[in-house]
Amino acid sequence: MRFNQSINYTKLFSQLIDKDGQMDDTIASFLYYLFPRELFIRAVSLIESCDMFIYVLDPDNCHLDSRITTSVSTDVDSPTSSNSVGPITPPVADKNPTNKSQETDTLVSIVYDSESDTLHRLIVKTDHGGNPPIYVDLQNWFCSCDEYSDLFASETDKIADESYIDHLSNEVTDLHEFSDDRFAQLDAHSLSKQRYFLHDKVCCAHLIAYSLLLRTSKRVLHYFATEKQQVPMIRVTSMDEWLKLHINIVA
């Protein structure tokens, strides 16, 4: 069975920011004790570090020719990357706070209205010199950080005859047991089953932080990205640049 199956993490995360746009200390305290290894407080600290980037593909304004669009940096530590295809330059920052807030809110809507995880890439800048940025994939419950790798290796070492899928995920096929909880959910668009990664076995602060932003509600993402301006959101309008972004992460 799924860990803490009675808890709807999406609804719980959504209550972290109340209707007045303020953080609910009671919910924050509950979440602190809910996750082990101080994962929740570490996740919030990550968000507040301003090192978590969300690159958003704008499908309605996407062009095939990158020369007619603003290039974006796919290496968050420098304007160019040795793995990139051709020169990549960072976007020009808009110094007008009103325009910046409006742009961010537009991206917040794109993320929550698109219903597709393929339209954004999640990258965390690292402070350690020479280390590549950390890539996070909520759709497949994956993170490239050392903590995730160590936990995953520890769990898979325990497997004998059981498959990885059976050991690390829970599948729900009874429609009466379906949930609207999107935390650690796999195959989110399947109509016949729901699958959840067993996050009590493998989880890290990066996955919780991005889940808090992207598996809750517009209000939560608006709070951190627009009001606090702690989560840089970057619009990508060139398919060429979008492909470069993927190449830089996997290369």
Side-chain angles (χ1 to χ4, degrees), residues 190-235:
S190 174
L191 298 178
S192 60
K193 63 182 178 181
Q194 285 188 332
R195 291 176 58 232
Y196 290 91
F197 199 101
L198 297 179
H199 58 83
D200 60 312
K201 295 184 176 181
V202 181
C203 190
C204 66
H206 304 100
L207 284 166
I208 291 182
Y210 274 120
S211 294
L212 184 61
L213 297 171
L214 301 172
R215 290 292 185 268
T216 53
S217 66
K218 286 183 181 180
R219 184 169 67 240
V220 175
L221 183 55
H222 170 84
Y223 175 82
F224 288 109
T226 306
E227 295 295 332
K228 295 296 185 179
Q229 297 186 9
Q230 294 172 333
V231 182
M233 300 186 69
I234 302 172
R235 183 196 300 263

mmCIF file of all heavy atoms in Angstrom, residues 190-235:
data_model
loop_
_atom_site.group_PDB
_atom_site.id
_atom_site.type_symbol
_atom_site.label_atom_id
_atom_site.label_comp_id
_atom_site.label_asym_id
_atom_site.label_seq_id
_atom_site.Cartn_x
_atom_site.Cartn_y
_atom_site.Cartn_z
ATOM 1 N N SER A 190 -3.561 8.579 -17.175
ATOM 2 C CA SER A 190 -4.193 7.295 -17.449
ATOM 3 C C SER A 190 -5.616 7.285 -16.902
ATOM 4 O O SER A 190 -5.877 7.770 -15.801
ATOM 5 C CB SER A 190 -3.384 6.163 -16.809
ATOM 6 O OG SER A 190 -4.060 4.933 -16.952
ATOM 7 N N LEU A 191 -6.540 6.728 -17.678
ATOM 8 C CA LEU A 191 -7.940 6.667 -17.258
ATOM 9 C C LEU A 191 -8.287 5.352 -16.567
ATOM 10 O O LEU A 191 -9.345 5.236 -15.944
ATOM 11 C CB LEU A 191 -8.855 6.856 -18.476
ATOM 12 C CG LEU A 191 -8.732 8.190 -19.217
ATOM 13 C CD1 LEU A 191 -9.654 8.203 -20.428
ATOM 14 C CD2 LEU A 191 -9.045 9.358 -18.290
ATOM 15 N N SER A 192 -7.405 4.368 -16.671
ATOM 16 C CA SER A 192 -7.721 3.041 -16.147
ATOM 17 C C SER A 192 -6.986 2.692 -14.859
ATOM 18 O O SER A 192 -7.347 1.724 -14.185
ATOM 19 C CB SER A 192 -7.400 1.974 -17.199
ATOM 20 O OG SER A 192 -6.018 2.013 -17.536
ATOM 21 N N LYS A 193 -5.968 3.472 -14.518
ATOM 22 C CA LYS A 193 -5.211 3.161 -13.310
ATOM 23 C C LYS A 193 -4.501 4.413 -12.810
ATOM 24 O O LYS A 193 -4.349 5.399 -13.529
ATOM 25 C CB LYS A 193 -4.174 2.068 -13.582
ATOM 26 C CG LYS A 193 -3.108 2.480 -14.591
ATOM 27 C CD LYS A 193 -2.132 1.344 -14.867
ATOM 28 C CE LYS A 193 -1.097 1.768 -15.917
ATOM 29 N NZ LYS A 193 -0.151 0.669 -16.227
ATOM 30 N N GLN A 194 -4.084 4.343 -11.560
ATOM 31 C CA GLN A 194 -3.239 5.375 -10.974
ATOM 32 C C GLN A 194 -2.012 4.696 -10.383
ATOM 33 O O GLN A 194 -2.118 3.648 -9.747
ATOM 34 C CB GLN A 194 -3.980 6.152 -9.878
ATOM 35 C CG GLN A 194 -5.007 7.127 -10.397
ATOM 36 C CD GLN A 194 -5.567 8.012 -9.287
ATOM 37 O OE1 GLN A 194 -5.612 7.625 -8.125
ATOM 38 N NE2 GLN A 194 -6.002 9.208 -9.647
ATOM 39 N N ARG A 195 -0.862 5.294 -10.621
ATOM 40 C CA ARG A 195 0.381 4.757 -10.082
ATOM 41 C C ARG A 195 1.095 5.849 -9.298
ATOM 42 O O ARG A 195 1.175 6.991 -9.744
ATOM 43 C CB ARG A 195 1.293 4.227 -11.196
ATOM 44 C CG ARG A 195 0.767 2.976 -11.877
ATOM 45 C CD ARG A 195 1.660 2.546 -13.030
ATOM 46 N NE ARG A 195 3.016 2.293 -12.586
ATOM 47 C CZ ARG A 195 4.100 2.834 -13.140
ATOM 48 N NH1 ARG A 195 3.979 3.682 -14.138
ATOM 49 N NH2 ARG A 195 5.302 2.536 -12.695
ATOM 50 N N TYR A 196 1.590 5.475 -8.135
ATOM 51 C CA TYR A 196 2.312 6.402 -7.280
ATOM 52 C C TYR A 196 3.669 5.818 -6.913
ATOM 53 O O TYR A 196 3.780 4.634 -6.591
ATOM 54 C CB TYR A 196 1.533 6.688 -5.992
ATOM 55 C CG TYR A 196 0.285 7.516 -6.190
ATOM 56 C CD1 TYR A 196 -0.943 6.909 -6.424
ATOM 57 C CD2 TYR A 196 0.341 8.902 -6.138
ATOM 58 C CE1 TYR A 196 -2.088 7.666 -6.605
ATOM 59 C CE2 TYR A 196 -0.800 9.670 -6.312
ATOM 60 C CZ TYR A 196 -2.006 9.048 -6.548
ATOM 61 O OH TYR A 196 -3.139 9.803 -6.729
ATOM 62 N N PHE A 197 4.679 6.659 -6.980
ATOM 63 C CA PHE A 197 5.992 6.257 -6.494
ATOM 64 C C PHE A 197 5.942 6.250 -4.969
ATOM 65 O O PHE A 197 5.357 7.144 -4.354
ATOM 66 C CB PHE A 197 7.055 7.248 -6.975
ATOM 67 C CG PHE A 197 8.456 6.712 -6.923
ATOM 68 C CD1 PHE A 197 9.079 6.253 -8.065
ATOM 69 C CD2 PHE A 197 9.156 6.663 -5.717
ATOM 70 C CE1 PHE A 197 10.376 5.757 -8.016
ATOM 71 C CE2 PHE A 197 10.441 6.167 -5.657
ATOM 72 C CZ PHE A 197 11.058 5.708 -6.810
ATOM 73 N N LEU A 198 6.542 5.253 -4.353
ATOM 74 C CA LEU A 198 6.548 5.162 -2.892
ATOM 75 C C LEU A 198 7.595 6.131 -2.341
ATOM 76 O O LEU A 198 8.750 5.783 -2.125
ATOM 77 C CB LEU A 198 6.835 3.727 -2.456
ATOM 78 C CG LEU A 198 5.787 2.697 -2.897
ATOM 79 C CD1 LEU A 198 6.162 1.299 -2.431
ATOM 80 C CD2 LEU A 198 4.410 3.073 -2.361
ATOM 81 N N HIS A 199 7.157 7.361 -2.123
ATOM 82 C CA HIS A 199 8.093 8.425 -1.766
ATOM 83 C C HIS A 199 8.673 8.260 -0.371
ATOM 84 O O HIS A 199 9.657 8.929 -0.027
ATOM 85 C CB HIS A 199 7.411 9.789 -1.884
ATOM 86 C CG HIS A 199 6.184 9.933 -1.032
ATOM 87 N ND1 HIS A 199 6.237 10.275 0.291
ATOM 88 C CD2 HIS A 199 4.874 9.768 -1.328
ATOM 89 C CE1 HIS A 199 5.011 10.329 0.784
ATOM 90 N NE2 HIS A 199 4.165 10.027 -0.179
ATOM 91 N N ASP A 200 8.080 7.386 0.440
ATOM 92 C CA ASP A 200 8.684 7.129 1.747
ATOM 93 C C ASP A 200 9.989 6.357 1.610
ATOM 94 O O ASP A 200 10.817 6.354 2.522
ATOM 95 C CB ASP A 200 7.713 6.366 2.647
ATOM 96 C CG ASP A 200 7.306 5.024 2.052
ATOM 97 O OD1 ASP A 200 6.945 5.008 0.858
ATOM 98 O OD2 ASP A 200 7.350 4.007 2.769
ATOM 99 N N LYS A 201 10.188 5.735 0.443
ATOM 100 C CA LYS A 201 11.416 4.976 0.206
ATOM 101 C C LYS A 201 12.485 5.824 -0.479
ATOM 102 O O LYS A 201 13.669 5.721 -0.149
ATOM 103 C CB LYS A 201 11.108 3.736 -0.637
ATOM 104 C CG LYS A 201 10.210 2.726 0.075
ATOM 105 C CD LYS A 201 10.015 1.467 -0.759
ATOM 106 C CE LYS A 201 9.193 0.437 0.005
ATOM 107 N NZ LYS A 201 9.010 -0.822 -0.764
ATOM 108 N N VAL A 202 12.076 6.624 -1.450
ATOM 109 C CA VAL A 202 13.034 7.460 -2.179
ATOM 110 C C VAL A 202 12.446 8.858 -2.337
ATOM 111 O O VAL A 202 11.444 9.044 -3.032
ATOM 112 C CB VAL A 202 13.368 6.878 -3.572
ATOM 113 C CG1 VAL A 202 14.392 7.766 -4.273
ATOM 114 C CG2 VAL A 202 13.883 5.452 -3.459
ATOM 115 N N CYS A 203 13.069 9.820 -1.685
ATOM 116 C CA CYS A 203 12.598 11.199 -1.765
ATOM 117 C C CYS A 203 13.748 12.130 -1.396
ATOM 118 O O CYS A 203 14.674 11.738 -0.677
ATOM 119 C CB CYS A 203 11.418 11.423 -0.813
ATOM 120 S SG CYS A 203 10.583 13.009 -1.038
ATOM 121 N N CYS A 204 13.704 13.345 -1.905
ATOM 122 C CA CYS A 204 14.725 14.335 -1.573
ATOM 123 C C CYS A 204 14.065 15.707 -1.474
ATOM 124 O O CYS A 204 12.910 15.887 -1.860
ATOM 125 C CB CYS A 204 15.839 14.350 -2.622
ATOM 126 S SG CYS A 204 15.304 14.910 -4.263
ATOM 127 N N ALA A 205 14.804 16.674 -0.980
ATOM 128 C CA ALA A 205 14.257 18.017 -0.791
ATOM 129 C C ALA A 205 13.885 18.668 -2.119
ATOM 130 O O ALA A 205 12.930 19.451 -2.192
ATOM 131 C CB ALA A 205 15.265 18.884 -0.041
ATOM 132 N N HIS A 206 14.619 18.353 -3.185
ATOM 133 C CA HIS A 206 14.324 18.952 -4.492
ATOM 134 C C HIS A 206 12.951 18.510 -4.997
ATOM 135 O O HIS A 206 12.177 19.318 -5.525
ATOM 136 C CB HIS A 206 15.398 18.566 -5.509
ATOM 137 C CG HIS A 206 16.791 18.917 -5.086
ATOM 138 N ND1 HIS A 206 17.650 17.988 -4.545
ATOM 139 C CD2 HIS A 206 17.458 20.094 -5.101
ATOM 140 C CE1 HIS A 206 18.802 18.577 -4.256
ATOM 141 N NE2 HIS A 206 18.712 19.853 -4.584
ATOM 142 N N LEU A 207 12.639 17.226 -4.838
ATOM 143 C CA LEU A 207 11.347 16.716 -5.291
ATOM 144 C C LEU A 207 10.201 17.314 -4.479
ATOM 145 O O LEU A 207 9.145 17.652 -5.026
ATOM 146 C CB LEU A 207 11.328 15.187 -5.196
ATOM 147 C CG LEU A 207 12.109 14.447 -6.285
ATOM 148 C CD1 LEU A 207 12.320 12.986 -5.904
ATOM 149 C CD2 LEU A 207 11.390 14.545 -7.626
ATOM 150 N N ILE A 208 10.396 17.459 -3.181
ATOM 151 C CA ILE A 208 9.348 18.059 -2.359
ATOM 152 C C ILE A 208 9.175 19.534 -2.704
ATOM 153 O O ILE A 208 8.047 20.039 -2.811
ATOM 154 C CB ILE A 208 9.670 17.884 -0.862
ATOM 155 C CG1 ILE A 208 9.543 16.410 -0.474
ATOM 156 C CG2 ILE A 208 8.741 18.740 -0.003
ATOM 157 C CD1 ILE A 208 9.799 16.138 0.989
ATOM 158 N N ALA A 209 10.278 20.238 -2.910
ATOM 159 C CA ALA A 209 10.195 21.666 -3.216
ATOM 160 C C ALA A 209 9.437 21.917 -4.514
ATOM 161 O O ALA A 209 8.532 22.761 -4.574
ATOM 162 C CB ALA A 209 11.603 22.258 -3.298
ATOM 163 N N TYR A 210 9.787 21.176 -5.565
ATOM 164 C CA TYR A 210 9.088 21.375 -6.833
ATOM 165 C C TYR A 210 7.653 20.857 -6.770
ATOM 166 O O TYR A 210 6.758 21.403 -7.427
ATOM 167 C CB TYR A 210 9.851 20.699 -7.972
ATOM 168 C CG TYR A 210 10.941 21.570 -8.565
ATOM 169 C CD1 TYR A 210 12.271 21.171 -8.540
ATOM 170 C CD2 TYR A 210 10.637 22.799 -9.150
ATOM 171 C CE1 TYR A 210 13.274 21.970 -9.080
ATOM 172 C CE2 TYR A 210 11.624 23.601 -9.689
ATOM 173 C CZ TYR A 210 12.941 23.185 -9.655
ATOM 174 O OH TYR A 210 13.926 23.988 -10.191
ATOM 175 N N SER A 211 7.404 19.814 -5.987
ATOM 176 C CA SER A 211 6.028 19.344 -5.806
ATOM 177 C C SER A 211 5.191 20.402 -5.106
ATOM 178 O O SER A 211 4.019 20.610 -5.432
ATOM 179 C CB SER A 211 6.012 18.046 -4.987
ATOM 180 O OG SER A 211 6.621 16.984 -5.683
ATOM 181 N N LEU A 212 5.797 21.070 -4.148
ATOM 182 C CA LEU A 212 5.106 22.141 -3.439
ATOM 183 C C LEU A 212 4.710 23.263 -4.392
ATOM 184 O O LEU A 212 3.643 23.873 -4.255
ATOM 185 C CB LEU A 212 6.013 22.684 -2.333
ATOM 186 C CG LEU A 212 5.447 23.754 -1.402
ATOM 187 C CD1 LEU A 212 4.238 23.223 -0.649
ATOM 188 C CD2 LEU A 212 6.514 24.217 -0.420
ATOM 189 N N LEU A 213 5.535 23.497 -5.398
ATOM 190 C CA LEU A 213 5.263 24.562 -6.364
ATOM 191 C C LEU A 213 4.318 24.125 -7.477
ATOM 192 O O LEU A 213 3.460 24.906 -7.912
ATOM 193 C CB LEU A 213 6.578 25.041 -6.986
ATOM 194 C CG LEU A 213 7.606 25.666 -6.040
ATOM 195 C CD1 LEU A 213 8.926 25.879 -6.776
ATOM 196 C CD2 LEU A 213 7.097 26.983 -5.467
ATOM 197 N N LEU A 214 4.459 22.883 -7.936
ATOM 198 C CA LEU A 214 3.800 22.464 -9.173
ATOM 199 C C LEU A 214 2.750 21.380 -9.002
ATOM 200 O O LEU A 214 2.089 21.009 -9.970
ATOM 201 C CB LEU A 214 4.862 21.973 -10.167
ATOM 202 C CG LEU A 214 5.931 23.006 -10.537
ATOM 203 C CD1 LEU A 214 7.036 22.352 -11.359
ATOM 204 C CD2 LEU A 214 5.318 24.169 -11.297
ATOM 205 N N ARG A 215 2.583 20.856 -7.802
ATOM 206 C CA ARG A 215 1.581 19.815 -7.562
ATOM 207 C C ARG A 215 0.541 20.292 -6.550
ATOM 208 O O ARG A 215 -0.030 19.507 -5.816
ATOM 209 C CB ARG A 215 2.255 18.537 -7.050
ATOM 210 C CG ARG A 215 3.100 17.813 -8.087
ATOM 211 C CD ARG A 215 2.212 17.221 -9.174
ATOM 212 N NE ARG A 215 2.974 16.415 -10.126
ATOM 213 C CZ ARG A 215 3.499 16.883 -11.240
ATOM 214 N NH1 ARG A 215 3.357 18.170 -11.530
ATOM 215 N NH2 ARG A 215 4.156 16.101 -12.068
ATOM 216 N N THR A 216 0.309 21.597 -6.535
ATOM 217 C CA THR A 216 -0.631 22.145 -5.557
ATOM 218 C C THR A 216 -1.660 23.026 -6.249
ATOM 219 O O THR A 216 -2.646 22.539 -6.774
ATOM 220 C CB THR A 216 0.129 22.940 -4.480
ATOM 221 O OG1 THR A 216 0.980 23.912 -5.115
ATOM 222 C CG2 THR A 216 0.996 22.037 -3.637
ATOM 223 N N SER A 217 -1.414 24.328 -6.251
ATOM 224 C CA SER A 217 -2.361 25.266 -6.851
ATOM 225 C C SER A 217 -1.616 26.493 -7.351
ATOM 226 O O SER A 217 -0.464 26.734 -6.982
ATOM 227 C CB SER A 217 -3.415 25.695 -5.820
ATOM 228 O OG SER A 217 -2.811 26.454 -4.784
ATOM 229 N N LYS A 218 -2.294 27.253 -8.191
ATOM 230 C CA LYS A 218 -1.702 28.492 -8.693
ATOM 231 C C LYS A 218 -1.332 29.428 -7.546
ATOM 232 O O LYS A 218 -0.341 30.159 -7.631
ATOM 233 C CB LYS A 218 -2.690 29.209 -9.624
ATOM 234 C CG LYS A 218 -2.871 28.580 -10.985
ATOM 235 C CD LYS A 218 -3.812 29.442 -11.824
ATOM 236 C CE LYS A 218 -4.046 28.844 -13.199
ATOM 237 N NZ LYS A 218 -4.959 29.685 -14.011
ATOM 238 N N ARG A 219 -2.132 29.407 -6.480
ATOM 239 C CA ARG A 219 -1.902 30.331 -5.372
ATOM 240 C C ARG A 219 -0.527 30.114 -4.729
ATOM 241 O O ARG A 219 0.163 31.078 -4.387
ATOM 242 C CB ARG A 219 -3.003 30.181 -4.319
ATOM 243 C CG ARG A 219 -2.884 31.184 -3.174
ATOM 244 C CD ARG A 219 -4.099 31.199 -2.283
ATOM 245 N NE ARG A 219 -4.245 29.962 -1.535
ATOM 246 C CZ ARG A 219 -5.293 29.166 -1.628
ATOM 247 N NH1 ARG A 219 -6.283 29.463 -2.452
ATOM 248 N NH2 ARG A 219 -5.371 28.058 -0.909
ATOM 249 N N VAL A 220 -0.135 28.858 -4.585
ATOM 250 C CA VAL A 220 1.157 28.560 -3.962
ATOM 251 C C VAL A 220 2.303 28.989 -4.872
ATOM 252 O O VAL A 220 3.256 29.643 -4.429
ATOM 253 C CB VAL A 220 1.261 27.061 -3.627
ATOM 254 C CG1 VAL A 220 2.651 26.735 -3.083
ATOM 255 C CG2 VAL A 220 0.196 26.667 -2.608
ATOM 256 N N LEU A 221 2.218 28.637 -6.153
ATOM 257 C CA LEU A 221 3.278 29.026 -7.084
ATOM 258 C C LEU A 221 3.329 30.544 -7.237
ATOM 259 O O LEU A 221 4.417 31.135 -7.307
ATOM 260 C CB LEU A 221 3.054 28.361 -8.445
ATOM 261 C CG LEU A 221 4.121 28.624 -9.516
ATOM 262 C CD1 LEU A 221 5.513 28.258 -9.019
ATOM 263 C CD2 LEU A 221 3.795 27.865 -10.803
ATOM 264 N N HIS A 222 2.164 31.185 -7.272
ATOM 265 C CA HIS A 222 2.113 32.650 -7.355
ATOM 266 C C HIS A 222 2.806 33.281 -6.147
ATOM 267 O O HIS A 222 3.542 34.269 -6.284
ATOM 268 C CB HIS A 222 0.656 33.112 -7.427
ATOM 269 C CG HIS A 222 0.474 34.596 -7.273
ATOM 270 N ND1 HIS A 222 0.603 35.483 -8.323
ATOM 271 C CD2 HIS A 222 0.197 35.354 -6.176
ATOM 272 C CE1 HIS A 222 0.407 36.717 -7.882
ATOM 273 N NE2 HIS A 222 0.158 36.669 -6.586
ATOM 274 N N TYR A 223 2.595 32.709 -4.981
ATOM 275 C CA TYR A 223 3.180 33.257 -3.753
ATOM 276 C C TYR A 223 4.708 33.267 -3.826
ATOM 277 O O TYR A 223 5.353 34.285 -3.554
ATOM 278 C CB TYR A 223 2.710 32.438 -2.550
ATOM 279 C CG TYR A 223 3.351 32.831 -1.238
ATOM 280 C CD1 TYR A 223 2.873 33.912 -0.503
ATOM 281 C CD2 TYR A 223 4.431 32.107 -0.729
ATOM 282 C CE1 TYR A 223 3.457 34.273 0.707
ATOM 283 C CE2 TYR A 223 5.025 32.457 0.474
ATOM 284 C CZ TYR A 223 4.532 33.539 1.189
ATOM 285 O OH TYR A 223 5.129 33.892 2.387
ATOM 286 N N PHE A 224 5.288 32.138 -4.206
ATOM 287 C CA PHE A 224 6.746 32.030 -4.210
ATOM 288 C C PHE A 224 7.385 32.658 -5.450
ATOM 289 O O PHE A 224 8.473 33.232 -5.364
ATOM 290 C CB PHE A 224 7.168 30.561 -4.100
ATOM 291 C CG PHE A 224 6.935 29.957 -2.746
ATOM 292 C CD1 PHE A 224 5.934 29.019 -2.554
ATOM 293 C CD2 PHE A 224 7.709 30.334 -1.661
ATOM 294 C CE1 PHE A 224 5.711 28.460 -1.302
ATOM 295 C CE2 PHE A 224 7.495 29.782 -0.403
ATOM 296 C CZ PHE A 224 6.494 28.844 -0.222
ATOM 297 N N ALA A 225 6.712 32.544 -6.605
ATOM 298 C CA ALA A 225 7.314 33.020 -7.853
ATOM 299 C C ALA A 225 7.028 34.495 -8.121
ATOM 300 O O ALA A 225 7.909 35.225 -8.590
ATOM 301 C CB ALA A 225 6.820 32.180 -9.030
ATOM 302 N N THR A 226 5.807 34.942 -7.817
ATOM 303 C CA THR A 226 5.426 36.323 -8.123
ATOM 304 C C THR A 226 5.564 37.246 -6.918
ATOM 305 O O THR A 226 6.223 38.284 -6.992
ATOM 306 C CB THR A 226 3.979 36.381 -8.646
ATOM 307 O OG1 THR A 226 3.838 35.488 -9.751
ATOM 308 C CG2 THR A 226 3.625 37.787 -9.094
ATOM 309 N N GLU A 227 4.950 36.865 -5.809
ATOM 310 C CA GLU A 227 4.973 37.728 -4.631
ATOM 311 C C GLU A 227 6.372 37.803 -4.014
ATOM 312 O O GLU A 227 6.907 38.887 -3.791
ATOM 313 C CB GLU A 227 3.965 37.225 -3.595
ATOM 314 C CG GLU A 227 2.513 37.308 -4.043
ATOM 315 C CD GLU A 227 2.053 38.743 -4.242
ATOM 316 O OE1 GLU A 227 2.598 39.646 -3.565
ATOM 317 O OE2 GLU A 227 1.156 38.968 -5.077
ATOM 318 N N LYS A 228 6.960 36.659 -3.738
ATOM 319 C CA LYS A 228 8.281 36.621 -3.111
ATOM 320 C C LYS A 228 9.419 36.694 -4.128
ATOM 321 O O LYS A 228 10.558 36.989 -3.751
ATOM 322 C CB LYS A 228 8.426 35.337 -2.284
ATOM 323 C CG LYS A 228 7.479 35.253 -1.095
ATOM 324 C CD LYS A 228 7.780 36.342 -0.079
ATOM 325 C CE LYS A 228 6.917 36.196 1.156
ATOM 326 N NZ LYS A 228 7.207 37.240 2.177
ATOM 327 N N GLN A 229 9.120 36.399 -5.391
ATOM 328 C CA GLN A 229 10.119 36.400 -6.463
ATOM 329 C C GLN A 229 11.326 35.533 -6.101
ATOM 330 O O GLN A 229 12.478 35.906 -6.317
ATOM 331 C CB GLN A 229 10.556 37.836 -6.780
ATOM 332 C CG GLN A 229 9.431 38.711 -7.294
ATOM 333 C CD GLN A 229 9.886 40.083 -7.740
ATOM 334 O OE1 GLN A 229 11.078 40.361 -7.829
ATOM 335 N NE2 GLN A 229 8.933 40.954 -8.026
ATOM 336 N N GLN A 230 11.030 34.355 -5.560
ATOM 337 C CA GLN A 230 12.085 33.438 -5.134
ATOM 338 C C GLN A 230 12.302 32.290 -6.114
ATOM 339 O O GLN A 230 13.271 31.539 -5.975
ATOM 340 C CB GLN A 230 11.746 32.874 -3.745
ATOM 341 C CG GLN A 230 11.761 33.927 -2.647
ATOM 342 C CD GLN A 230 11.238 33.409 -1.328
ATOM 343 O OE1 GLN A 230 10.433 32.477 -1.283
ATOM 344 N NE2 GLN A 230 11.686 34.016 -0.235
ATOM 345 N N VAL A 231 11.401 32.154 -7.092
ATOM 346 C CA VAL A 231 11.514 31.069 -8.068
ATOM 347 C C VAL A 231 11.532 31.668 -9.468
ATOM 348 O O VAL A 231 10.483 32.050 -9.999
ATOM 349 C CB VAL A 231 10.345 30.071 -7.937
ATOM 350 C CG1 VAL A 231 10.506 28.929 -8.941
ATOM 351 C CG2 VAL A 231 10.255 29.529 -6.523
ATOM 352 N N PRO A 232 12.705 31.803 -10.081
ATOM 353 C CA PRO A 232 12.773 32.345 -11.444
ATOM 354 C C PRO A 232 12.048 31.440 -12.436
ATOM 355 O O PRO A 232 12.316 30.242 -12.507
ATOM 356 C CB PRO A 232 14.279 32.392 -11.736
ATOM 357 C CG PRO A 232 14.938 32.364 -10.390
ATOM 358 C CD PRO A 232 14.043 31.541 -9.520
ATOM 359 N N MET A 233 11.131 32.029 -13.195
ATOM 360 C CA MET A 233 10.421 31.309 -14.245
ATOM 361 C C MET A 233 10.790 31.946 -15.578
ATOM 362 O O MET A 233 10.676 33.162 -15.743
ATOM 363 C CB MET A 233 8.911 31.359 -14.011
ATOM 364 C CG MET A 233 8.480 30.735 -12.697
ATOM 365 S SD MET A 233 6.669 30.636 -12.509
ATOM 366 C CE MET A 233 6.262 29.392 -13.752
ATOM 367 N N ILE A 234 11.240 31.135 -16.518
ATOM 368 C CA ILE A 234 11.770 31.632 -17.781
ATOM 369 C C ILE A 234 10.973 31.050 -18.933
ATOM 370 O O ILE A 234 10.858 29.831 -19.077
ATOM 371 C CB ILE A 234 13.264 31.274 -17.926
ATOM 372 C CG1 ILE A 234 14.053 31.866 -16.746
ATOM 373 C CG2 ILE A 234 13.818 31.770 -19.251
ATOM 374 C CD1 ILE A 234 15.492 31.417 -16.675
ATOM 375 N N ARG A 235 10.426 31.935 -19.752
ATOM 376 C CA ARG A 235 9.643 31.516 -20.911
ATOM 377 C C ARG A 235 10.570 31.116 -22.058
ATOM 378 O O ARG A 235 11.540 31.812 -22.365
ATOM 379 C CB ARG A 235 8.730 32.658 -21.368
ATOM 380 C CG ARG A 235 7.808 32.300 -22.534
ATOM 381 C CD ARG A 235 7.234 33.563 -23.169
ATOM 382 N NE ARG A 235 6.456 34.347 -22.230
ATOM 383 C CZ ARG A 235 5.125 34.289 -22.116
ATOM 384 N NH1 ARG A 235 4.436 33.497 -22.915
ATOM 385 N NH2 ARG A 235 4.491 35.039 -21.238
#
